[in-house]
Amino acid sequence: MKKAELIFVPSPNIGHLASNIEAAKLLLHRDDRLSITVFVFKRSSDSNFTTYSYNLTSTPRLRFFNLPIVESEAYSLNFMELQIPQVRKATADLFSTSASSLAGFVLDFFCSSMMDVATEFGVPSYIYFPANATFLGFLFHLQLLHDQHQIDLAQAKDSDSDLALPTFTKPFPARVIPTVMREKDLVDQLFSHTRRYREAKGILVNSFTELEPHALDFLSQGNNPPVYPVGPILNLGSDTCDVQKEIMDWLDDQPALSVVFLCFGSRGVFNEEQVKEIACALEHSKHRFLWSLRRPPPKERSMTEYPTEYENLEEVLPVGFLDRTAGIGKIIGWAPQTVILSHPAIGGFVSHCGWNSTLESLWYGVPIATWSLYAEQQLNAFELVKELELAVEIKMDYRKDSGLIVKAEVIERGINGVMEHDSKIRKNVKEISEKGKMVLIEGGSSFSALNQFIEDVAQMK
């Protein structure tokens, strides 16, 4: 009997790729009837992209297939439409001689256009949603409002009003409308994807019932496809960094829960003026700190190039900062984030609130100070701070290209809040961390949801 094979199609983004591969590994570990092929796209500007993907795993029954990429001048949420011919041909070539039977496509949430390829091959499509259930429900709700009542949420983006949204139990401030929902072209593209989600046979969400019960309850209603909350799906062991030993040695010398860690994701950078405000906040707070600080790419290439390392930190930091903080702080470039978050010296995390980073921080029981930058991160920050009480706020409505400078006193207040040892936030985070581990073992909610997904795939086959 042939094995059932799934094709995973992740977006060409390291964060999405890693999350998709971890989801694939989870499926393969659970059921040896499955095999999985991951189609890997690499932009010409991503020099380490393919190497990174192959280093992630050596899991049996998991293979990677490189596809020639069709480049576009600018990044677009519709980028993947250009890749359809490559995916169609690769699928035909792979399964003309395969020992496995194609059971379906699992598509990253920016790859919904690939559903047409799945239809051509007579197999179902599933969506892998690496963001949270609240954002998925947010998209479903707003897409219906737009299509049925011509309501445009972006029109309220600069108002002081609060919005009633069914994915939240508390009023949602219009100023926190996510960056991706504030421009008509981006909204149109997102809603185009959302309409396709409704055609899927199911949606895997990187969250768990105990974390987002209200949003998942909303998603279970109406005519939405089945939603499988199978998270937290995490890549906890693949971070690498040349100076990792140096970082760990430094952390080993710090007291427990004494260090605030600042890291803003693969594209999280600030201009020189903002860097100086962060530095002043850290120095004045007197907390020990580990700060991942990187140089922004040239503005004209900010969407196609990643940040780089500073050759001389003194050029961007306040005069004398490095000398004055030498005993309590350490500045690094690229950060092995999960390894750092797992260290007992880490007491708080200043984060952009990307969902992968959020889940990693919650897994290790580290409370977050939210400083959202782009994409859906403003919504994530609101959920963490107001809805779930798992974080403190630095800025929920900050936007990377807004020109706004967050002052040192605001940053310091957030740092002091996240480093408070006996706070309600810290207790809540510890509780959800314990629940997040329990959901993945036999009998847990995510364990059961993944089993249900596998059975549904088997029935469709």
Side-chain angles (χ1 to χ4, degrees):
M1 180 178 176
K2 287 186 176 182
K3 288 187 178 295
E5 179 139 1
L6 293 170
I7 291 179
F8 271 63
V9 185
S11 304
N13 170 287
I14 287 176
H16 285 238
L17 175 69
S19 189
N20 273 264
I21 290 175
E22 292 305 316
K25 289 165 61 178
L26 191 62
L27 283 164
L28 294 174
H29 178 73
R30 187 64 58 84
D31 197 313
D32 60 11
R33 296 174 297 175
L34 295 174
S35 58
I36 291 174
T37 295
V38 180
F39 285 162
V40 179
F41 301 93
K42 186 184 83 69
R43 292 178 183 274
S44 59
S45 58
D46 294 341
S47 59
N48 296 320
F49 194 91
T50 304
T51 302
Y52 179 88
S53 70
Y54 282 102
N55 286 342
L56 276 172
T57 181
S58 56
T59 304
R61 295 176 283 114
L62 175 63
R63 61 178 172 174
F64 297 96
F65 193 86
N66 282 327
L67 293 177
I69 199 165
V70 178
E71 296 283 4
S72 59
E73 290 297 320
Y75 178 76
S76 167
L77 293 179
N78 290 331
F79 173 87
M80 292 304 298
E81 291 184 6
L82 300 174
Q83 318 310 320
I84 287 178
Q86 282 71 250
V87 170
R88 180 186 294 117
K89 182 178 186 306
T91 304
D93 291 347
L94 283 172
F95 286 91
S96 62
T97 58
S98 175
S100 300
S101 173
L102 181 59
F105 281 68
V106 179
L107 308 172
D108 187 76
F109 73 148
F110 285 152
C111 301
S112 66
S113 56
M114 296 294 169
M115 294 176 75
D116 294 334
V117 180
T119 300
E120 291 175 22
F121 283 89
V123 295
S125 296
Y126 304 91
I127 299 297
Y128 177 60
F129 200 79
N132 55 35
T134 298
F135 184 52
L136 177 60
F138 184 82
L139 290 176
F140 273 140
H141 175 67
L142 294 182
Q143 176 255 316
L144 281 182
L145 286 181
H146 176 273
D147 291 359
Q148 296 179 359
H149 305 287
Q150 292 73 55
I151 293 176
D152 182 3
L153 187 67
Q155 293 177 355
K157 64 184 179 182
D158 296 319
S159 75
D160 294 325
S161 60
D162 287 337
L163 309 173
L165 299 174
T167 50
F168 292 113
T169 63
K170 297 179 180 177
F172 182 81
R175 63 182 174 83
V176 186
I177 291 171
T179 299
V180 292
M181 303 297 296
R182 296 171 71 89
E183 297 180 19
K184 185 178 187 305
D185 288 347
L186 291 178
V187 171
D188 289 345
Q189 291 178 46
L190 273 174
F191 286 169
S192 176
H193 286 295
T194 306
R195 294 182 193 101
R196 298 304 303 268
Y197 300 162
R198 297 181 184 278
E199 303 172 24
K201 292 297 182 182
I203 304 175
L204 292 160
V205 178
N206 190 9
S207 189
F208 53 100
T209 302
E210 289 78 356
L211 179 61
E212 298 188 280
H214 183 77
L216 287 164
D217 181 64
F218 168 75
L219 287 167
S220 70
Q221 303 170 18
N223 296 318
N224 299 325
V227 172
Y228 307 89
V230 295
I233 294 174
L234 302 166
N235 174 27
L236 299 178
S238 65
D239 278 333
T240 58
C241 179
D242 291 340
V243 295
Q244 181 168 312
K245 183 179 185 306
E246 178 187 339
I247 295 169
M248 292 299 107
D249 287 346
W250 184 84
L251 285 172
D252 287 345
D253 290 336
Q254 312 308 315
L257 304 180
S258 69
V259 177
V260 59
F261 174 42
L262 297 88
C263 188
F264 299 91
S266 59
R267 295 188 182 275
V269 289
F270 299 100
N271 62 30
E272 184 175 334
E273 183 180 359
Q274 186 63 79
V275 168
K276 284 181 166 60
E277 294 291 331
I278 296 171
C280 289
L282 287 169
E283 184 174 359
H284 196 262
S285 77
K286 296 187 169 30
H287 285 292
R288 299 169 190 267
F289 65 86
L290 180 65
W291 182 7
S292 174
L293 176 60
R294 309 187 79 206
R295 181 193 295 276
K299 189 171 183 179
E300 65 274 12
R301 298 197 294 273
S302 63
M303 292 305 296
T304 58
E305 293 186 8
Y306 285 93
T308 54
E309 311 302 302
Y310 280 105
E311 294 180 4
N312 179 14
L313 287 169
E314 291 181 347
E315 69 183 65
V316 70
L317 293 167
V319 175
F321 174 82
L322 292 174
D323 291 334
R324 293 191 302 272
T325 61
I328 65 166
K330 185 174 182 62
I331 297 181
I332 59 176
W334 177 262
Q337 183 168 288
T338 56
V339 177
I340 291 171
L341 287 170
S342 71
H343 198 283
I346 299 298
F349 183 26
V350 179
S351 172
H352 62 309
C353 301
W355 193 240
N356 285 342
S357 294
T358 296
L359 290 178
E360 289 165 7
S361 197
L362 295 178
W363 180 266
Y364 289 114
V366 179
I368 298 170
T370 65
W371 191 340
S372 54
L373 300 180
Y374 49 83
E376 88 291 356
Q377 292 162 13
Q378 292 81 17
L379 180 142
N380 295 350
F382 174 81
E383 180 179 21
L384 289 169
V385 174
K386 299 297 186 181
E387 187 78 1
L388 303 178
E389 296 185 340
L390 295 172
V392 300
E393 178 184 5
I394 291 180
K395 286 291 287 183
M396 291 192 297
D397 57 348
Y398 182 89
R399 299 176 199 285
K400 186 177 177 182
D401 299 319
S402 66
L404 173 70
I405 298 298
V406 183
K407 295 300 182 182
E409 55 267 26
V410 175
I411 303 168
E412 182 186 352
R413 184 166 58 244
I415 289 171
N416 289 336
V418 81
M419 293 299 288
E420 186 179 337
H421 279 197
D422 296 323
S423 68
K424 179 182 179 183
I425 297 297
R426 190 174 296 277
K427 292 174 183 176
N428 290 348
V429 169
K430 182 179 179 181
E431 180 180 331
I432 204 66
S433 175
E434 293 169 354
K435 289 181 178 179
K437 294 177 174 65
M438 296 299 294
V439 300
L440 296 176
I441 65 175
E442 188 168 359
S445 61
S446 295
F447 186 98
S448 300
L450 190 69
N451 281 353
Q452 185 61 59
F453 171 75
I454 292 171
E455 291 307 311
D456 291 347
V457 168
Q459 290 177 13
M460 290 303 304
K461 178 178 174 295

